[in-house]
Amino acid sequence: MIPLSFAQRRLWFLGELEGPNPTYNIPAALRLTGELDRGALHAALRDVVERHEVLRTVFPAVDGIPRQRILGAESVALDLPVAEVAEADLGEALARACALPFDLSCDVPLRARLYALGPDEHVLLLVMHHIASDGWSMGLLARDVSVAYAARRRGLAPAWEPLPVQYADYTLWQLDLLGDEDDPESVLAEQLAYWRAALAGLPEELALPADRPRPAQVTHHGDTVGLSLGADLHRGLAELARARGVTPFMVLQAGLAVLLSRLGAGTDIPIGTPVAGRTDDALDDLVGFFVNSLVMRTDVSGDPSFTELLARVRETDLEAFGHQDVPFERLVEDLAPTRSMARHPLFQVMLALQNNAEAVLDLPGLKVAPLPGTDAPAKFDLSFALAEEFDAQGAPAGLTGSVTYATDLFDRGSVEAIAERFVRVLETVTADPAVTVSQVDVLGGAERAWVLVDWNDTGRDVPEGTLPELFEAQVARTPGATALVFDDAELTYAELNARANRLARVLAEHGVGPESLVAVSMERSVELVVALLAVHKAGGAYVPVDPEYPADRIAYVLDDARPALVLAAVRTAGRLGDALAVPCLLLDDPEFVAHLASRPGDDLSVSERHNPLLPSHPAYVIYTSGSTGRPKGVAVPH
C-alpha cells in the first residue's frame, strides 16, 4: 500500500478527529432532459472509475497510519441506483444523499444516484469526497464521463489515451520532490524556512465582526450569499491591475484586506487562497486532490495608499507563489499554531478567483443543466469565491460568485452587508487608487444614516416629576405586583412603599430634606433598596459608600460630602471608621427595627418635608476617581 499525499493526510486526520461527516463532500447535481440511456451512463461512470485510480482507492489505517489501497476495477461495486421521485420532493432527496458521509477506510470516494422525475426527465447526482477530488477535477470528471457515455451509446469502449501517471505516482513524486527537512538543501527545508519567517507572529485568530461568539467546536454549518461585480467595476479592476503590474487577484486581495481592517480586524490580515497544485503537465488530466492553500499575509499598517498596499501585496504574493510546494498541512505541522477545534488554523478568511475550466457534461441527445447546490458546509469563517466573465470580444463583463459563511458566527443579513461593503471598497479604490486605507468608507448612504441618525435618535418623552412621585404613581397602579426580589424575600409595590415611608419619616425627623445628603453604606439587600427609596421620599440625596472601599477613601468621601446622616447595617458600620462625626442609623439593629415598625406606612404629606422637592434637586451624589486621583462628587438631579 502507498502513503497518503500531504493534502490527503489532513482530510483523513480530520475525518478521524471529527468522525464521519459530509463537510468534505463535493456534490454535483445535473438535470438531464431527453432520452437517457441508463445502461450507457452506468457503464460510462465505471469507465471513469477504471481510468482514474484515485476514484477506486480506499484509505485504511495500519497501526494508526493511513495508506492508499487501490482496488481493482472489477472489484468496485459502483452502482447507479435509480429512484422515482416527484419534483416537489427532489430537493429533500438530494439534500439527504449529499449529507451521507463516506467511510474512507472502505468506501470508494465517489457515489452516483439517478432520480427519475419522468420518462425523459432525470437528475444525476455525483458526490465525491475531497480526498480524491478538487475543483479542477470536476471539469475533468465531466469531460471523461461525456466521452465515455458517447462511446457506450454506440456500443463501444471509450478510446482515450492512457493517463501518463496516476495519483499514487504523484504522491510518491511529491514526497521525493520535497525531500527530507533535515537536509538543508531539500525543497522542503528551504521552503519551510521561508514560511517560518513570513508567518512569524501571525495572529492566531482574525477579529471579524461576527454576530455571535465563536463556539468551542466548529460545526461547519454554512450558508451562501451572492457576490457580483458589474462590468464597469471589472474593467476598472483590470485597468488598475495592468497599471500597477499586479494581477486581478492581487487587487481583490488588497481590497478585501482593506475591508477587513476597516471592519476592526487590525492591520495584520492573513487571507488564505487556493492554488491548483498541478505543477507538472502530466497532472493536468488527472482527477485527484492536488489543490494547496497559501497564506497571504497582508500588511495594512501605517495607513498606506491603495497603490502602496498593492505594491506590498505584489511582493508578498510573488514570494508566496514561489514557495507553494510546501503542502498547507505540512506547514501547519511545522508552525504548530495553538490547536483549536473552534477555528481553521493560520487563517479564517479564504479568497479564491476561480479559473478552472467549467465542468460541462455533454451527453448526446440530452439537455444538461446544473442544479443549485444544497447548503454549503463552511470550512472557514468567511470564504469569498469569484470568477471573471468576458464578452465575445474578450472584454471584462463582470465577476460573479458568492460568500460562504459559518452560520455559527454570522447572520445572513450581516454577510450580505459585508458583501456589499466589499464591492463598495473596490469601487472606491479603483476610482481613486491614491486613497489611503483610513479614507476608504465602507458604509453606504443608508447604513450611514442608520448609524449616525437612527441609532442616535435617543430622544424620548419622559414624565415630569421626582423619583418618589413616579414610584408612588406605580404603587397606585399595581399595588399587589412584585416590586422587589432578593434571595427568598419578595415585596409588593405596596409593601415596599410602606417600609420606605416609615424610614422616610425617621429621616425627616433627623433633618433630612431637599439638598440634604445621606450616606448609605450597606451590602446588597432588601434594606438597601428601602433605604435608597426612603432618602428620596424624605427629599434628600443619597451618597453610596461601598463598604469594601479602602478606609482612606471612605474617610475622604464622608469628610468631603458632610452628610446629615449615615445609614448602615451592623456589619458594615465598623468599616466607616472611628471618626464618624454624624449620626448613624443601623437599619438591621433589632431595637431600630422595632421602632420603625411603629411608624405609619402611608405616603408622606407635603407638610412632612422641610421644603418642597423639585425635579432639579439632587437625587444622589456619586464619587468618581477624579482626574487628579482624588475622588470628586457629581450630583445627579431627579
Side-chain angles (χ1 to χ4, degrees):
M1 289 191 287
I2 301 163
L4 274 62
S5 69
F6 281 103
Q8 288 179 326
R9 286 185 205 175
R10 177 168 173 77
L11 290 190
W12 180 88
F13 172 78
L14 289 173
E16 293 294 301
L17 182 66
E18 300 172 358
N21 64 76
T23 302
Y24 291 93
N25 287 7
I26 305 177
L30 302 162
R31 183 180 290 270
L32 312 178
T33 304
E35 185 179 348
L36 173 65
D37 187 334
R38 295 179 182 178
L41 180 59
H42 189 194
L45 291 172
R46 293 194 61 84
D47 289 334
V48 171
V49 169
E50 181 176 359
R51 176 171 171 78
H52 297 278
E53 288 181 354
V54 73
L55 298 180
R56 47 188 168 90
T57 299
V58 292
F59 304 88
V62 179
D63 297 327
I65 300 175
R67 292 286 186 267
Q68 295 186 57
R69 181 182 171 207
I70 302 168
L71 305 178
E74 69 286 348
S75 65
V76 176
L78 182 68
D79 298 323
L80 182 62
V82 180
E84 304 284 339
V85 64
E87 184 76 44
D89 301 325
L90 177 62
E92 183 179 349
L94 291 173
R96 282 199 307 269
C98 291
L100 290 175
F102 286 89
D103 183 346
L104 295 177
S105 66
C106 57
D107 293 342
V108 294
L110 171 64
R111 282 198 300 260
R113 292 173 184 264
L114 194 62
Y115 297 92
L117 290 86
D120 293 325
E121 195 77 19
H122 297 79
V123 170
L124 172 65
L125 175 65
L126 300 177
V127 182
M128 301 180 70
H129 195 282
H130 204 352
I131 203 167
S133 183
D134 54 21
W136 186 304
S137 298
M138 298 304 286
L140 301 176
L141 184 69
R143 182 199 64 188
D144 286 356
V145 170
S146 301
V147 170
Y149 179 79
R152 290 298 177 181
R153 280 192 77 210
R154 299 192 303 270
L156 304 172
W160 43 42
E161 290 292 324
L163 293 169
V165 294
Q166 291 287 347
Y167 191 82
D169 301 312
Y170 159 77
T171 301
L172 298 174
W173 170 81
Q174 181 190 52
L175 295 173
D176 182 62
L177 169 71
L178 294 176
D180 190 340
E181 67 178 287
D182 293 330
D183 177 7
E185 302 298 321
S186 70
V187 172
L188 182 59
E190 186 272 326
Q191 294 199 9
L192 280 176
Y194 162 78
W195 285 110
R196 289 176 193 134
L199 301 183
L202 189 76
E204 289 187 349
E205 182 176 316
L206 200 59
L208 297 173
D211 296 298
R212 286 171 291 281
R214 188 180 297 276
Q217 181 169 346
V218 64
T219 67
H220 297 298
H221 295 160
D223 200 357
T224 300
V225 302
L227 179 60
S228 178
L229 281 64
D232 290 342
L233 179 53
H234 189 188
R235 284 191 293 272
L237 289 172
E239 291 168 3
L240 177 59
R242 282 194 299 270
R244 307 311 302 181
V246 299
T247 64
F249 170 80
M250 293 176 184
V251 179
L252 293 172
Q253 177 193 334
L256 181 56
V258 169
L259 171 65
L260 297 177
S261 181
R262 297 287 285 141
L263 292 179
T267 58
D268 190 353
I269 311 292
I271 297 172
T273 193
V275 290
R278 298 171 186 259
T279 54
D280 190 285
D281 292 345
L283 306 176
D284 286 353
D285 291 328
L286 190 60
V287 170
F289 184 18
F290 298 94
V291 68
N292 194 17
S293 295
L294 300 184
V295 187
M296 303 306 204
R297 189 175 191 177
T298 313
D299 177 14
V300 192
S301 64
D303 195 23
S305 67
F306 192 71
T307 53
E308 292 170 335
L309 182 60
L310 279 178
R312 296 181 187 180
V313 167
R314 181 181 188 276
E315 180 180 359
T316 299
D317 286 12
L318 290 179
E319 288 284 340
F321 289 130
H323 295 83
Q324 65 172 283
D325 297 310
V326 174
F328 178 78
E329 296 71 24
R330 183 65 188 85
L331 183 60
V332 172
E333 291 176 11
D334 186 80
L335 297 181
T338 302
R339 288 289 185 178
S340 172
M341 295 291 289
R343 63 174 180 265
H344 189 271
L346 302 184
F347 64 87
Q348 291 82 49
V349 176
M350 173 71 86
L351 173 64
L353 181 58
Q354 306 285 3
N355 58 4
N356 297 331
E358 187 178 358
V360 177
L361 199 61
D362 183 11
L363 305 181
L366 290 166
K367 178 183 177 183
V368 182
L371 293 179
T374 57
D375 290 345
K379 303 179 183 70
F380 313 98
D381 295 354
L382 294 170
S383 183
F384 296 76
L386 285 164
E388 293 185 279
E389 298 178 349
F390 300 92
D391 62 19
Q393 290 72 43
L399 292 96
T400 57
S402 61
V403 183
T404 301
Y405 62 96
T407 55
D408 290 341
L409 300 177
F410 295 97
D411 293 329
R412 184 177 186 85
S414 299
V415 179
E416 288 174 338
I418 289 173
E420 291 171 4
R421 290 166 182 164
F422 185 34
V423 174
R424 189 175 300 119
V425 167
L426 294 173
E427 289 172 341
T428 300
V429 298
T430 52
D432 180 13
V435 67
T436 63
V437 170
S438 65
Q439 294 172 329
V440 176
D441 193 352
V442 299
L443 298 180
E447 280 187 310
R448 178 169 294 281
W450 186 32
V451 172
L452 297 182
V453 178
D454 296 346
W455 283 1
N456 283 324
D457 184 14
T458 57
R460 294 293 183 271
D461 291 332
V462 296
E464 292 291 335
T466 63
L467 286 171
E469 291 171 344
L470 299 176
F471 178 76
E472 288 160 7
Q474 183 65 40
V475 173
R477 286 192 296 269
T478 59
T482 301
L484 174 62
V485 177
F486 179 77
D487 291 340
D488 295 330
E490 289 190 13
L491 294 181
T492 65
Y493 275 98
E495 291 168 338
L496 176 57
N497 190 52
R499 289 185 59 170
N501 285 334
R502 294 185 183 104
L503 179 56
R505 286 189 165 85
V506 174
L507 299 183
E509 292 169 0
H510 281 75
V512 174
E515 298 190 351
S516 298
L517 300 186
V518 177
V520 180
S521 182
M522 302 175 67
E523 295 173 334
R524 186 175 297 236
S525 60
V526 170
E527 287 72 23
L528 172 62
V529 178
V530 171
L532 301 181
L533 187 54
V535 172
H536 287 148
K537 282 175 169 288
Y542 68 81
V543 182
V545 179
D546 191 331
E548 299 299 325
Y549 279 165
D552 57 345
R553 181 182 175 91
I554 292 176
Y556 176 84
V557 169
L558 293 176
D559 181 65
D560 187 67
R562 299 187 181 279
L565 197 64
V566 174
L567 303 183
V570 172
R571 63 178 295 174
T572 60
R575 303 173 191 171
L576 298 177
D578 299 330
L580 192 61
V582 295
C584 180
L585 301 182
L586 303 180
L587 301 191
D588 58 350
D589 179 81
E591 184 176 339
F592 182 78
V593 171
H595 171 67
L596 204 60
S598 66
R599 309 307 297 264
D602 53 310
D603 289 336
L604 274 70
S605 64
V606 174
S607 62
E608 289 182 274
R609 290 200 186 105
H610 297 281
N611 291 297
L613 179 61
L614 305 175
S616 59
H617 281 135
Y620 69 95
V621 174
I622 186 73
Y623 272 79
T624 68
S625 59
S627 59
T628 63
R630 297 180 64 81
K632 290 182 172 63
V634 177
V636 180
H638 286 258

